[in-house]
Amino acid sequence: MSSLGMLLPVLSLLLAITAGVAGDDDAPGFEASVVECVGQDDMMGYDSIEALNADMEAELDKIREGEPPLSSYVFILCPESVFDASEGPLTPLLDNAVFTCGPTGDPANGCQFSNGENLVVIEDPVNVTDYDTLTVSFVGVTFTGFDGAAISGNAGASATVQLFNSNFEVSSSQLSIWDQVSHNVVRIS
């Protein structure tokens, strides 16, 4: 599938959210830890990795108890926020999770994952969620200040990470993305 083909479903979902098509009746119940974004009129979103991980774990518990998963999970990151991974990385657990900087995914909104050995760790979806596939997307996010890898994967071939309008600021690390299973390094310059 082409890059445009992969981007269209994500853009359609973001447009539906920002246009209000996914109105209150369709609002997912997994967003227990959202806060009002500082300096943003009436924008709700996430401002910490801990809140993101807690809501994903709570939703995964519901799925384990028999509730059907949603078709997608959109996590709006508060603009001008630094998601500090020094206490632990983001660990996406839900299939079709989209982490977007503000409602539009514009990199100028200034969402950064920073300050950790690994900023994002993708686990094997079979062992974690019993999903056949695990797709995680980042839109308009900057990865910076990591010592190991910005995105580290310990997942099988069924896991996919999609990056749209995202940036890597590499300083002390030689790795941007590390696949722990095949030991492949994806270098981004």
Side-chain angles (χ1 to χ4, degrees), residues 8-181:
L8 288 177
V10 173
L11 289 177
S12 296
L13 185 58
L14 290 174
L15 288 173
I17 292 166
T18 58
V21 173
D24 292 339
D25 292 340
D26 295 330
F30 67 91
E31 301 170 316
S33 302
V34 295
V35 297
E36 187 169 340
C37 297
V38 175
Q40 307 293 318
D41 293 334
D42 299 322
M43 181 187 294
M44 301 298 288
Y46 288 89
D47 66 354
S48 73
I49 289 175
E50 295 80 11
L52 289 160
N53 284 342
D55 280 1
M56 286 186 287
E57 187 63 48
E59 181 66 11
L60 184 59
D61 286 344
K62 291 178 189 176
I63 295 168
R64 286 180 180 139
E65 293 169 5
E67 287 190 30
L70 298 175
S71 60
S72 62
Y73 297 89
V74 177
F75 297 90
I76 296 177
L77 308 177
C78 288
E80 303 302 325
S81 292
V82 175
F83 294 84
D84 187 349
S86 62
E87 297 297 317
L90 177 70
T91 307
L93 299 173
L94 303 170
D95 189 27
N96 293 317
V98 178
F99 300 90
T100 176
C101 186
T104 62
D106 185 344
N109 285 335
C111 300
Q112 293 186 0
F113 281 84
S114 186
N115 303 326
E117 178 69 23
N118 299 313
L119 305 180
V120 178
V121 175
I122 309 292
E123 294 292 337
D124 190 340
V126 174
N127 293 335
V128 176
T129 65
D130 293 328
Y131 289 144
D132 289 334
T133 61
L134 179 67
T135 299
V136 178
S137 302
F138 293 92
V139 184
V141 175
T142 297
F143 300 94
T144 184
F146 51 94
D147 297 324
I151 301 172
S152 177
N154 190 21
S158 64
T160 302
V161 176
Q162 301 178 28
L163 303 166
F164 304 102
N165 290 329
S166 294
N167 300 302
F168 291 84
E169 295 176 0
V170 181
S171 56
S172 64
S173 176
Q174 295 293 317
L175 308 173
S176 292
I177 301 175
W178 171 246
D179 178 347
Q180 295 177 15
V181 174

